[in-house]
Amino acid sequence: VQLQASGGGLVQPGGSLTLSCAATEGTISTYAMAWFRQAPGKEREFVAVMSWTAKRLHLADSVRGRFRISRNNVKNTVYLQMTNVNSEDTAAYYCAARDGYSDSPKVRYDYWGQGTLVTVSS
């Protein structure tokens, strides 16, 4: 599976942005899909994960209540809807896929997309 993330850009504090991750080769329909982010000078951190059925999901404490993960297996795409963003959300955001759902942020993911940069600034 090859993944391509998009939708990043400049957003004001308190604003909203939706990221997309599309499979350009292969299908995501049987994979758990996740979003991670890496801020400048910091380690990569888990943001959200959703099972292939979309019946199970988990979000990091730092984004719960503000971000929403969703997927459309027909469109072969997973989304990250970001609302009420703040400066701490500034990061490169990466999507990833793995065979099997896990809440753990430390499990290995099999496929990664390139990052899409989100900058929160006024």
Side-chain angles (χ1 to χ4, degrees):
V1 176
Q2 290 193 358
L3 304 173
Q4 183 170 348
S6 62
L10 178 64
V11 58
Q12 293 186 342
S16 301
L17 198 66
T18 297
L19 307 182
S20 300
C21 173
T24 58
E25 187 172 313
T27 177
I28 68 167
S29 61
T30 60
Y31 289 97
M33 298 297 298
W35 288 94
F36 290 78
R37 66 186 182 185
Q38 186 167 19
K42 295 188 177 181
E43 293 188 354
R44 186 174 63 196
E45 67 169 340
F46 167 83
V47 176
V49 61
M50 176 172 274
S51 65
W52 71 273
T53 62
K55 291 182 178 179
R56 300 179 67 184
L57 62 89
H58 178 64
L59 289 94
D61 290 344
S62 58
V63 305
R64 189 174 296 121
R66 300 189 299 120
F67 290 12
R68 178 174 178 264
I69 185 171
S70 61
R71 65 190 295 161
N72 185 324
N73 287 341
V74 173
K75 292 186 177 181
N76 230 0
T77 303
V78 63
Y79 306 95
L80 186 68
Q81 295 170 273
M82 308 167 60
T83 63
N84 194 22
V85 298
N86 57 60
S87 60
E88 294 185 350
D89 297 320
T90 293
Y93 284 73
Y94 299 87
C95 57
R98 74 183 306 271
D99 186 12
Y101 174 84
S102 174
D103 284 348
S104 172
K106 298 188 182 299
V107 296
R108 188 179 72 88
Y109 279 76
D110 302 309
Y111 306 98
W112 291 83
Q114 90 293 352
T116 186
L117 183 61
V118 174
T119 303
V120 181
S121 175
S122 56

